[in-house]
């Protein structure tokens, strides 16, 4: 999975000097898989009570990609944790048959 992460973070600034590229590489950034897990976790929370495959897919994707997190180069692992938590809530809502519409009124 690390090779895929490296392909996603391609240095698009080829006209910059080597010193500028080294400076940009030294700045911490977010893991792209963590951001995807966070977005899928939000979708799991929103649509999980209707479709159980979204939270299950999100949890499996999170467990498969959590190993790509690098503490030296990346900022924090919170997107993985929050996305996983939202998918667990979405799956729980599906199992208990609780919908978001039940609490709007």
């Amino acid at each position: 999975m690390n090779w895929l992460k490296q392909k996603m973070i391609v240095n698009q600034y080829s006209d910059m000097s080597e010193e500028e590229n080294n400076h940009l590489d030294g700045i911490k950034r977010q893991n792209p898989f963590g951001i995807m897990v966070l977005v899928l976790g939000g979708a799991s929370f929103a649509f999980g009570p209707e479709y159980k495959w979204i939270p299950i897919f999100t949890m499996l994707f999170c467990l498969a990609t959590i190993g790509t997190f690098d503490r030296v180069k990346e900022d924090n692992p919170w997107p993985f944790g929050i996305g996983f938590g939202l998918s667990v809530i979405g799956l729980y809502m599906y199992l208990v048959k609780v919908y978001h519409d039940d609490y709007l009124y």
Side-chain angles (χ1 to χ4, degrees), residues 10-25:
V10 175
N11 191 0
Q12 300 174 356
Y13 305 107
S14 60
D15 59 341
M16 294 173 42
S17 70
E18 186 68 30
E19 180 181 326
E20 292 171 334
N21 282 333
N22 289 337
H23 174 70
L24 288 178
D25 288 340

Side-chain angles (χ1 to χ4, degrees), residues 51-70:
Y51 311 104
K52 69 178 174 186
W53 62 270
I54 299 173
I56 292 171
F57 174 75
T58 303
M59 286 189 270
L60 292 175
F61 185 70
C62 179
L63 293 175
T65 59
I66 190 75
T68 63
F69 179 72
D70 184 14

Side-chain angles (χ1 to χ4, degrees), residues 23-42:
H23 174 70
L24 288 178
D25 288 340
I27 297 173
K28 289 188 174 188
R29 58 181 165 262
Q30 293 294 325
N31 188 324
F33 292 127
I35 299 299
M36 284 191 278
V37 167
L38 182 63
V39 169
L40 287 173

Side-chain angles (χ1 to χ4, degrees), residues 49 93 96-105:
M93 289 175 72
V96 178
K97 300 294 183 204
V98 175
Y99 298 101
H100 296 289
D101 295 339
D102 295 342
Y103 297 103
L104 287 177
Y105 303 106

